Amino acid sequence: MAATALIARTRDWAFGPILRGLLTGLVGFSLGAGFTAGVRALAGADAIAFGPVIFGGYWFGLAGWLLGVGVWRTWAREWLGMPVDWTMRNGWQRYFDFTTDHKVIGVQYLVTFLGMFFLAGLLAMLMRIEHLTGGQVLFSPSQYNYVMSLHGITMIFVAVAAVIGGFGNYAVPIMIGAADMAYPRLNALSYWLAAPVPVLLLATFFAGGFDAGWTSYPPLAVENRDGQILFNLAFITLGLSSIAGSINFIVTVTKLRARGLSFGRLPIFVWGVFAMSLLGFFFTQYVAAAMMMTLLDRLFGMVFFDAAGGGDPLLYQHIFWFYSHPAVYIMGIPGLALALEVITHFSRKPLFAYRWVVGGILAITALSAVVWAHHMFTAGLSDIELFFFVTTTELISIPTGLIFLGALGTIWGGRLWLRTPMLFALAVIFNFLIGGLTGIFLADVFTDIHLQDTFFVVAHFHYTIVGAGIFGLFAGIYYWFPKITGRSYSEFWAKLHFWWMFLGFNMTFLPMFWLGLNGMNRRVASYPSDLEALNVVASLGGFFLGAGFLVFLANIVVSWVRGPAASANPWRARTLEWHTSSPPPVENFESEPEVVGHPYDYGTPGAVHAMLAGAEEEGG
Amino acid sequence: MAAITHTGHDSRAINSMGLWLFIASEFALFSAFIFARYYLTGRDQPEELNIGLGYAITVVLLSSSVCAYLAEQAIARGDRRRFLRFTLAAIVLGTLFLVGVGLEWREAAHSFPPPDLYGTVFFSLTGLHASHMVTGLLALLFIWVQGRRGRFDAEAHWGVTGVVRYWHFVDLVWLIVFPTLYLV
């Protein structure tokens, strides 16, 4: 391919790319919607039926949005033999750009998905208000189900994308000594493809909402209000973004590692992101297929899931969980790997049983493909299927145990440095232990038949996904805050936030185990009044938990604006991101890094992980 | 999927790996719809299927793949004329395949339209495949136009290799879809 000609953008408005994207998106939507309506009119159908017009308009609108926001400027012009423009702006404006800098993209992901996290958190507050009494407080049952569904899917998206999209993008290329991701423009595309997702979710409000939960089983998802269509489009869109991102991570980690950085020397967080990308690039297609089939049933008169027409609703559950079970590892493992990373640095010890921990992560990756039907124990599977899926599900506890072994062995006898990232990492281990042990009762058919669709399940998955994934996210935020911003956060307020969140989290979700055991169903607005006492505890815990994030926000905003400058390596950690300035320059390193040893050889005199060509080794 | 050049890294190997992963990912998507066909309809199959036409378009598509292969071989030797000629042949044959699918659809819409169960799997699976055909045809058209304007030579022709590989993949998918819908 001939060397690509470059042009440079001379001046642009701060929100120029986004405004152009909205404009071309609107043009694309009108074209697509008009085209669909025209075809329907010619075929003699109702021309402006909401579903088909929105569906047809959406894909053209999405293409228009992407072209306008930056694909045309940086990419599509090249296909037509025209010069392209890769200039990036400096300062805060770069966060509103179609930029190829992985560090900027990481921050874009983090801020976007933290925003979604707080929004979905507010929805959870509303649900807890509703559950203050057994009767009706705020919502009708159908309104409650909309709030519950919107909370669920928004949080699922946060859990899938915040750690991998945020810290995967920010930290992985630096940790492997690369200048950027393997496909920087595809990386930008992944983010700007994810950006319309929250807009779609909020727009469901204007389309009557949706009430099928985040799992959106048919037949309800084929028959309910039209907000469901936007939900399905949002899931497919985030799926596309996820697939592009996963492919990018796999190639980046495989091809762009610094000289000397063998797979056996890879930091454990990089392993976590790499393994979960192996799941993401393949399995995400199945949820896209499930969403597409639902839309085909709903909009095009097909009968995949319509029992009356010969279809089978169970088909949806199989395809959906074939992705969505691996997806719970995509939500949990990066946070867990991040916690291991932090625990190692803050215990000042090598990661215990490193090879076994890596083996554990890879074994989970492999096993996750054969456990999906444990979400369907009460759906009417045959005995032999039940037997198979109980066995494979129980097998998962072995590699999970290896990861725990690594964490505990590292802490054992370590010189623990209890700064905020370490507190969050230890909380990950604590929470995930509760989540993991209660999972055993859900993995066994006998107990699961009793517990299925009760608050026991709600408590269990909040302990695993929030307890590991989201606590891991906050461990990462405090750990890398000095690196990202070049400033230090206030340790006092950070510790206050930690204890506040830790106590609030346990106060909210621990009672839910008892509620579930006593038969409180999930996804219902009202419940028997003898369960009120524990519900009030959970609600108060929820409000307390929610209020604690104000401390976090205040600390982060104030520290980012006027915190004291941070040094290049405030934690005296050894991995590569701490060998460059805070914040790192564009393309990360002043000179080419070379890896000469294991990343976690704390306590070994003279051990070195990496050197920069021509630079004095700082030790560590 | 061209990348900004990384110093010291083989950008062709990087692009190639990404394309293989993308193809594997697309296989997953097709496998879901193929699974749905067996799960829902078992070994049942309507008698109205025009198997003769099915065989005919399969042969057309295979020839298109062969032409794409010859086009890639030609540009690798630097023979632009031959490259353009075979790319055009691949495009024409690919379009002919889509016309064949269109004929098949017209018959199917008459004999088992959705909400018929077999119509559901037939139209969704062939439709999914046809949408990939359209993407592939646009890509072939793109390298043909670029080739006419003097782009690609014996040293640098990753664009051609990538598009042709994708075209083979779409072809291979049809070789699974065809027996799934017509023969089993």
Side-chain angles (χ1 to χ4, degrees):
Chain A
M1 190 182 302
T4 311
L6 287 177
I7 54 168
R9 169 166 49 169
T10 45
R11 254 174 62 207
D12 200 351
W13 299 334
F15 298 105
I18 291 176
L19 289 174
R20 282 193 295 277
L22 288 175
L23 192 69
T24 48
L26 199 64
V27 171
F29 180 84
S30 313
L31 285 176
F35 178 74
T36 314
V39 169
R40 287 180 64 84
L42 286 177
D46 174 20
I48 44 170
F50 178 84
V53 170
I54 290 288
F55 179 82
Y58 177 71
W59 296 110
F60 286 85
L62 187 65
W65 153 256
L66 290 173
L67 281 174
V69 83
V71 171
W72 172 256
R73 176 173 68 84
T74 61
W75 213 339
R77 292 170 61 95
E78 185 181 290
W79 303 338
L80 304 178
M82 296 155 76
V84 293
D85 170 16
W86 285 340
T87 46
M88 288 176 251
R89 296 175 294 182
N90 296 318
W92 61 273
Q93 293 178 341
R94 69 187 188 275
Y95 294 108
F96 297 91
D97 227 345
F98 188 89
T99 170
T100 54
D101 184 341
H102 71 95
K103 296 188 289 300
V104 176
I105 293 171
V107 174
Q108 287 173 331
Y109 265 106
L110 270 180
V111 173
T112 306
F113 283 90
L114 271 178
M116 287 170 71
F117 175 74
F118 292 127
L119 198 78
L122 288 175
L123 293 172
M125 305 286 100
L126 295 178
M127 289 155 73
R128 288 321 308 173
I129 292 175
E130 178 62 42
H131 279 166
L132 276 170
T133 75
Q136 189 178 333
V137 182
L138 280 180
F139 301 121
S140 68
S142 122
Q143 285 169 335
Y144 175 83
N145 280 349
Y146 175 42
V147 172
M148 175 275 295
S149 302
L150 190 57
H151 164 79
I153 193 62
T154 310
M155 283 301 197
I156 289 289
F157 288 169
V158 170
V160 166
V163 175
I164 293 195
F167 292 124
N169 270 311
Y170 190 93
V172 163
I174 319 184
M175 290 172 102
I176 64 170
D180 207 315
M181 298 282 283
Y183 314 113
R185 286 182 291 186
L186 186 69
N187 202 20
L189 185 73
S190 303
Y191 172 73
W192 290 103
L193 201 49
V197 168
V199 180
L200 276 174
L201 290 181
L202 290 177
T204 55
F205 181 79
F206 301 101
F210 59 101
D211 49 9
W214 82 271
T215 51
S216 66
Y217 281 5
L220 182 57
V222 178
E223 293 163 1
N224 60 357
R225 287 163 289 174
D226 281 336
Q228 187 69 45
I229 297 170
L230 303 181
F231 167 99
N232 285 38
L233 292 174
F235 218 145
I236 296 174
T237 309
L238 192 77
L240 292 173
S241 162
S242 235
I243 291 166
S246 298
I247 291 178
N248 217 338
F249 280 123
I250 296 171
V251 179
T252 304
V253 174
T254 310
K255 297 278 187 193
L256 299 187
R257 297 190 314 279
R259 200 146 28 95
L261 183 56
S262 61
F263 271 101
R265 288 170 173 171
L266 220 50
I268 201 71
F269 177 65
V270 179
W271 265 116
V273 172
F274 179 68
M276 293 310 107
S277 299
L278 289 177
L279 291 179
F281 97 95
F282 191 79
F283 288 94
T284 310
Q285 292 281 13
Y286 292 95
V287 82
M291 294 297 135
M292 273 187 225
M293 288 176 188
T294 308
L295 287 174
L296 286 171
D297 272 14
R298 200 182 163 111
L299 302 176
F300 299 97
M302 300 208 173
V303 290
F304 280 107
F305 310 133
D306 179 2
D312 189 348
L314 266 192
L315 172 66
Y316 175 89
Q317 298 185 24
H318 279 299
I319 299 179
F320 178 82
W321 287 113
F322 195 55
Y323 159 74
S324 292
H325 192 76
V328 306
Y329 297 111
I330 297 177
M331 298 171 211
I333 294 288
L336 212 50
L338 213 166
L340 285 175
E341 185 80 33
V342 168
I343 285 173
T344 307
H345 296 307
F346 286 76
S347 299
R348 316 308 295 171
K349 270 183 65 187
L351 178 59
F352 182 73
Y354 170 88
R355 281 163 185 273
W356 288 93
V357 173
V358 170
I361 291 176
L362 292 177
I364 287 181
T365 307
L367 277 176
S368 71
V370 289
V371 296
W372 77 91
H374 67 222
H375 296 272
M376 303 162 60
F377 281 161
T378 57
L381 302 178
S382 66
D383 284 353
I384 189 76
E385 287 172 302
L386 292 177
F387 173 76
F388 176 80
F389 285 106
V390 169
T391 312
T392 52
T393 305
E394 296 286 9
L395 274 178
I396 290 263
S397 55
I398 297 170
T400 314
L402 291 176
I403 296 175
F404 259 86
L405 184 75
L408 297 181
T410 311
I411 296 166
W412 192 276
R415 288 175 60 91
L416 301 197
W417 193 19
L418 293 176
R419 301 294 287 267
T420 312
M422 180 62 162
L423 292 175
F424 272 100
L426 293 174
V428 167
I429 302 303
F430 177 86
N431 297 332
F432 200 74
L433 181 66
I434 297 177
L437 289 178
T438 53
I440 296 171
F441 303 103
L442 299 173
D444 276 319
V445 175
F446 319 104
T447 37
D448 181 68
I449 286 172
H450 177 67
L451 296 169
Q452 162 79 14
D453 263 349
T454 67
F455 261 69
F456 191 90
V457 178
V458 176
H460 161 72
F461 70 70
H462 280 87
Y463 263 95
T464 48
I465 293 173
V466 184
I470 301 299
F471 273 76
L473 172 69
F474 282 98
I477 289 175
Y478 286 112
Y479 181 53
W480 281 311
F481 184 86
K483 182 54 59 182
I484 294 173
T485 62
R487 292 176 185 273
S488 311
Y489 62 84
S490 156
E491 193 64 37
F492 171 79
W493 292 103
K495 278 188 171 151
L496 181 69
H497 167 228
F498 167 75
W499 287 109
W500 199 322
M501 182 169 160
F502 182 69
L503 293 175
F505 170 76
N506 280 288
M507 187 176 160
T508 310
F509 294 104
L510 211 50
M512 291 185 186
F513 286 117
W514 278 273
L515 285 170
L517 282 172
N518 287 316
M520 179 162 168
N521 284 319
R522 65 193 280 213
R523 298 177 168 172
V524 285
S526 52
Y527 56 87
S529 55
D530 57 330
L531 297 173
E532 266 178 11
L534 278 174
N535 263 301
V536 169
V537 175
S539 287
L540 294 178
F543 305 142
F544 181 68
L545 174 64
F549 290 111
L550 295 176
V551 176
F552 164 76
L553 275 178
N555 186 11
I556 289 301
V557 170
V558 171
S559 302
W560 199 330
V561 176
R562 43 188 282 194
S567 68
N569 189 359
W571 311 120
R572 290 183 284 116
R574 299 163 48 94
T575 41
L576 264 167
E577 79 272 30
W578 305 106
H579 286 252
T580 182
S581 59
S582 298
V586 172
E587 306 213 322
N588 301 337
F589 298 98
E590 300 294 350
S591 58
E592 199 187 328
E594 185 181 356
V595 173
V596 292
H598 206 268
Y600 306 124
D601 283 338
Y602 292 103
T604 309
V608 173
H609 171 53
M611 296 183 301
L612 297 188
E616 286 282 313
E617 177 51 36
E618 294 162 50
Chain B
M1 231 185 262
I4 293 172
T5 321
H6 291 272
T7 47
H9 294 287
D10 180 355
S11 74
R12 193 181 179 287
I14 287 174
N15 288 339
S16 180
M17 183 177 177
L19 184 61
W20 282 123
L21 290 169
F22 174 70
I23 285 174
S25 172
E26 291 280 86
F27 260 116
L29 178 63
F30 279 101
S31 78
F33 281 83
I34 291 169
F35 172 75
R37 179 258 183 266
Y38 289 112
Y39 188 90
L40 292 177
T41 61
R43 302 184 60 179
D44 291 348
Q45 187 197 71
E47 287 169 7
E48 296 92 338
L49 275 172
N50 188 343
I51 296 181
L53 183 56
Y55 274 118
I57 58 176
T58 304
V59 171
V60 169
L61 187 56
L62 278 176
S63 330
S64 173
S65 222
V66 171
C67 289
Y69 169 78
L70 292 173
E72 189 199 349
Q73 293 296 306
I75 197 68
R77 288 193 309 269
D79 186 347
R80 182 177 308 280
R81 255 174 55 108
R82 212 173 136 83
F83 158 68
L84 289 173
R85 204 184 303 147
F86 277 112
T87 307
L88 193 59
I91 293 170
V92 170
L93 288 167
T95 314
L96 207 58
F97 171 86
L98 279 182
V99 172
V101 171
L103 293 174
E104 197 76 278
W105 273 31
R106 213 172 61 176
E107 289 181 23
H110 185 66
S111 34
F112 46 87
D116 179 273
L117 186 61
Y118 204 82
T120 295
V121 292
F122 180 85
F123 280 98
S124 55
L125 201 43
T126 50
L128 185 66
H129 182 259
S131 67
H132 283 75
M133 287 287 299
V134 171
T135 316
L137 278 175
L138 288 175
L140 281 171
L141 203 60
F142 167 72
I143 57 167
W144 184 69
V145 171
Q146 294 280 304
R148 274 172 64 93
R149 293 165 67 168
R151 197 163 152 193
F152 308 124
D153 52 43
E155 282 77 43
H157 55 273
W158 159 249
V160 176
T161 310
V163 169
V164 169
R165 191 186 293 168
Y166 178 80
W167 193 243
H168 291 327
F169 153 72
V170 179
D171 200 12
L172 184 62
V173 167
W174 178 254
L175 290 183
I176 304 169
V177 170
F178 174 62
T180 295
L181 289 176
Y182 287 81
L183 303 181
V184 172

